[in-house]
Amino acid sequence: MSGPRVVALGGGHGLYASLTALRGACEGLTAVVTVADDGGSSGRIRAEMPVPPPGDLRMALSALCEDTEWGRTWRDVLQWRFATGGPLDGHAVGNLLIAGLWDRTGGIVEGLDWVARLLRAEGRVLPVSTEPITVSAEVACVDGPRRVFGQVAVATAPGRVTSLAIEPPDPAVPAATLDAIALADAVILGPGSWYTSVLTHFLVPRVAEALVAVGPRTILTLNIADEDEETAGTNRVDDIAALRATAPEFRPAAVLVDAAEDDAALRSAVEAWGARYVCAPMREEGTLDRHDVARLRDEYQALVAWVMSGGALAR
């Protein structure tokens, strides 16, 4: 492989789409993944063990699997969920494998690297923190503001999120994570659950500092989903406002917008931020909330080349 060193940040299905689009086009591709999930299989594991929730890390590893029978087979095994009616019910095999490697090796990054070797992954997966993070939010509800705790609660709380916080407030960050961000030729931020996957990165002080520094090399990808419970009653202009309020010093080089979201107010908000506004049709046909990977790949390749050519700095 040849090409730029790219870091992609996010969680869940949004990061899966970004990594699938970038895989094979980068000399060094690294995923940096949030660790705030407290639902489902991941939530049960973090409740029993003092480890980060493995689910979003598993998703990122699966996206980077080698495109061979070996890689695809192990990807499918990692994603397989038990349906037993007993204690294993709902657990993803990959979550248990990752947790088992952490228990055996005692190293969060080392365990993830071992799973990457099993998949012959075309890139590396790193956590935003080696400690499990609990996210909380102030939510404006019809009966007044209230504080909710945990990723699932924040994602499903009725009302509008007005502020975010995490515990611990300054979690441990692997040196490999900070190095990957600092050395990246380009950084892809988003898509993903806006408050609990994208903005959460800026709540980790050392990661926030690193992201501010690479803002001139960062491409922010806005969501295309209109029915996300986290952002119900808001729009993409509100998403940008929430990011700017959370990280006032951060400014990306470019903001990538799906054509269905294009409007004058959004363009104005992006340009007032000092970022390049890039609009293109990226929604996968027949879906409401999925990016078309091939279209996403084309946009990323063009924007990464623009960033590396110095186009962002020349504006």
Side-chain angles (χ1 to χ4, degrees):
M1 291 188 298
S2 63
R5 293 168 297 182
V6 178
V7 170
L9 299 98
H13 293 286
L15 182 59
Y16 190 97
S18 291
L19 294 174
T20 304
L22 291 162
R23 189 182 65 195
C26 306
E27 182 175 309
L29 176 57
T30 302
V32 174
V33 185
T34 56
V35 289
D37 189 10
D38 62 353
S41 172
S42 286
R44 290 158 61 190
I45 288 171
R46 71 177 282 179
E48 290 188 39
M49 302 172 63
V51 295
D56 284 348
L57 295 158
R58 182 199 82 245
M59 288 284 289
L61 285 161
S62 297
L64 294 176
C65 75
E66 182 182 69
D67 191 18
T68 61
E69 182 182 15
W70 176 277
R72 292 189 298 271
T73 297
W74 279 108
R75 173 200 64 195
D76 293 345
V77 170
L78 253 64
Q79 298 287 55
W80 185 265
R81 288 188 184 273
F82 292 102
T84 66
L88 279 175
D89 189 56
H91 270 305
V93 173
N95 289 353
L96 299 174
L97 176 62
I98 291 167
L101 279 162
W102 287 342
D103 201 33
R104 180 182 182 275
T105 66
I108 301 299
V109 171
E110 182 184 359
L112 293 170
D113 285 344
W114 274 109
V115 180
R117 292 189 191 103
L118 176 65
L119 291 164
R120 297 174 183 165
E122 299 178 17
R124 194 180 192 191
V125 174
L126 297 168
V128 73
S129 169
T130 52
E131 299 178 73
I133 291 171
T134 299
V135 63
S136 65
E138 190 82 17
V139 180
C141 305
V142 291
D143 56 349
R146 65 187 180 101
R147 194 95 198 162
V148 295
F149 294 86
Q151 185 270 334
V152 172
V154 172
T156 59
R160 184 167 180 168
V161 174
T162 57
S163 68
L164 288 169
I166 59 168
E167 283 292 336
D170 189 10
V173 179
T177 297
L178 298 176
D179 289 345
I181 295 171
L183 296 174
D185 295 310
V187 173
I188 306 293
L189 178 62
S193 298
W194 202 249
Y195 290 98
T196 56
S197 288
V198 177
L199 299 192
T200 308
H201 292 290
F202 293 97
L203 303 179
V204 180
R206 278 164 283 186
V207 173
E209 182 179 353
L211 290 174
V212 168
V214 297
R217 306 197 297 275
T218 299
I219 299 151
L220 176 66
T221 309
L222 297 187
N223 289 334
I224 58 177
D226 295 318
E227 298 180 357
D228 190 338
E229 290 180 89
E230 275 193 11
T231 51
T234 65
N235 56 32
R236 301 294 84 92
V237 175
D238 296 317
D239 291 349
I240 289 175
L243 175 49
R244 295 191 69 176
T246 302
E249 297 179 352
F250 173 75
R251 186 183 72 181
V255 177
L256 184 56
V257 178
D258 179 57
E261 303 286 347
D262 185 27
D263 65 36
L266 181 57
R267 180 183 292 271
S268 178
V270 170
E271 292 178 348
W273 199 8
R276 177 183 172 188
Y277 184 83
V278 181
C279 184
M282 291 181 295
R283 192 185 305 264
E284 183 179 336
E285 187 175 348
T287 73
L288 296 174
D289 60 355
R290 291 286 188 269
H291 281 82
D292 182 292
V293 170
R295 292 175 178 176
L296 198 58
R297 180 180 294 116
D298 289 344
E299 297 301 326
Y300 281 159
Q301 287 181 325
L303 284 168
V304 168
W306 172 72
V307 166
M308 292 181 64
S309 73
L313 297 177
R315 284 178 299 123

